[in-house]
Amino acid sequence: MVKKSVFWKNYVVKYIYEKSVNRELTELEMRGGSAFEQLGDEDEMILPRLMYENGYLIHESLFEKYSDKIKNIKKNTVIDTADGNEDNIFYIYEGVTEWVINDDEGKENILLYIGKGSIFPLPSMEMPLPMKEHIIFKAITDMKVLVIPCDLFKDIMLESVDVNMNVLKCYSQICDSLLSIIHLKNNNTSLNRISTLIYMLHRETDKYDMIIKLSQEEIAQITSVSRVQVTRVLKKLRDENIIITKRREIIVANSEKLKSFCTSD
């Protein structure tokens, strides 16, 4: 695997992306994993995945039968998958794309991240691809992708039942994650929202011994909370010895107390 530092601009949502430098993919990860992970019998909270990778890795050789067009995309580029009048599906060899929507005031809201071994936009039999009308795709690292025209991808889907099932599964996973994000953003207070986000990420970083690398701006974008509110909430959590913060770093010192702020009950 490529080292973590290659791929990330300090987004902690890499917690699903890199679990260990030398660790091989499990069978579950080769199939793309699941949209949610249950914490355990003693916990009621379910974690949404914010990062997807390797869901189509097993189909890579099939994709390469239909296309050999490689495209390199620079970091921070807003990605247009169209080529003239022809729409395309991108299969990611290297790098990560961020999916963003803008609200009525033009403020960016981060939805999720798609890494290597994945495709975007998700294919559809409709043209143009409906997902592109609502979501902005941004390269948050340099990327290398395989360009597959939509008409050819339809042929792939006709050839392979497994690809069809994978597309359906990915739609289901992402819908589940988006519903979870909506739930997060509808929590009653900024304290609830931010505590929930940090708690979710902490439960994953705790497994893989990773510091939560998240800026205040990124917390604001994910939770739809203002920067001022983020600053106030982080100060409260620090003052109560729940978290320790450094520049773009959060360490959870008391996870049980943090969990108590995740709801308004």
Side-chain angles (χ1 to χ4, degrees):
M1 272 196 173
V2 180
K3 291 184 178 180
K4 289 178 284 202
S5 59
V6 174
F7 280 107
W8 288 96
K9 66 168 188 180
N10 286 331
Y11 279 92
V12 76
V13 288
K14 68 183 179 182
Y15 64 88
I16 294 294
Y17 185 70
E18 286 286 352
K19 300 177 178 67
S20 172
V21 172
N22 297 314
R23 179 174 165 274
E24 292 186 0
L25 295 172
T26 65
E27 181 181 354
L28 178 61
E29 289 169 322
M30 288 289 285
R31 299 197 309 267
S34 63
F36 292 86
E37 293 189 17
Q38 185 69 46
L39 294 180
D41 293 338
E42 75 282 2
D43 292 299
E44 296 179 356
M45 182 178 293
I46 294 178
L47 301 179
R49 285 182 61 181
L50 299 180
M51 177 73 204
Y52 290 85
E53 64 158 352
N54 294 315
Y56 293 84
L57 187 61
I58 57 176
H59 306 304
E60 185 173 292
S61 59
L62 176 61
F63 295 161
E64 291 170 342
K65 283 173 51 180
Y66 281 82
S67 177
D68 59 2
K69 183 179 179 181
I70 305 296
K71 182 173 182 176
N72 293 301
I73 302 170
K74 292 293 186 181
K75 177 181 175 180
N76 296 326
T77 300
V78 175
I79 304 168
D80 185 359
T81 57
D83 183 8
N85 293 324
E86 184 176 57
D87 227 336
N88 299 295
I89 302 295
F90 285 179
Y91 171 77
I92 304 174
Y93 284 123
E94 298 174 5
V96 178
T97 178
E98 173 185 77
W99 292 20
V100 174
I101 57 172
N102 291 328
D103 62 21
D104 293 339
E105 298 177 353
K107 181 181 177 182
E108 290 188 349
N109 291 274
I110 299 169
L111 298 178
L112 44 84
Y113 300 82
I114 303 293
K116 71 174 185 177
S118 301
I119 63 173
F120 74 97
L122 291 182
S124 168
M125 290 302 179
E126 297 182 31
M127 295 294 287
L129 295 174
M131 178 178 288
K132 290 183 59 181
E133 297 178 10
H134 310 288
I135 298 176
I136 299 168
F137 306 107
K138 287 186 174 182
I140 63 170
T141 69
D142 290 339
M143 298 181 67
K144 178 182 177 182
V145 301
L146 177 68
V147 180
I148 309 172
C150 284
D151 287 343
L152 289 182
F153 202 90
K154 289 180 182 179
D155 292 338
I156 294 173
M157 294 175 71
L158 290 172
E159 176 181 335
S160 173
V161 174
D162 288 341
V163 171
N164 275 285
M165 295 301 295
N166 228 353
V167 169
L168 181 60
K169 182 180 72 174
C170 285
Y171 267 110
S172 175
Q173 289 176 336
I174 289 175
C175 284
D176 282 348
S177 287
L178 295 180
L179 287 171
S180 182
I181 291 169
I182 291 170
H183 172 70
L184 169 66
K185 293 183 177 182
N186 283 332
N187 277 345
N188 290 339
T189 68
S190 56
L191 176 61
N192 297 153
R193 298 185 193 184
I194 294 168
S195 297
T196 300
L197 176 66
I198 295 173
Y199 184 79
M200 289 190 307
L201 300 181
H202 165 70
R203 289 307 298 253
E204 285 299 326
T205 58
D206 185 56
K207 291 181 183 179
Y208 306 113
D209 193 28
M210 293 166 57
I211 295 169
I212 298 175
K213 295 185 181 295
L214 200 64
S215 73
Q216 291 190 17
E217 178 61 29
E218 292 155 3
I219 293 173
Q221 286 181 309
I222 293 171
T223 59
S224 295
V225 169
S226 73
R227 281 285 302 275
V228 172
Q229 290 173 312
V230 171
T231 300
R232 288 173 180 167
V233 169
L234 293 182
K235 182 179 184 304
K236 175 179 175 62
L237 296 178
R238 280 196 306 269
D239 290 346
E240 298 200 22
N241 299 316
I242 295 172
I243 63 170
I244 300 166
T245 61
K246 299 179 182 178
R247 180 175 174 80
R248 285 181 171 269
E249 291 187 358
I250 300 172
I251 300 171
V252 175
N254 188 332
S255 61
E256 286 304 310
K257 194 167 183 180
L258 176 64
K259 184 180 176 182
S260 71
F261 288 127
C262 290
T263 69
S264 55
D265 295 336

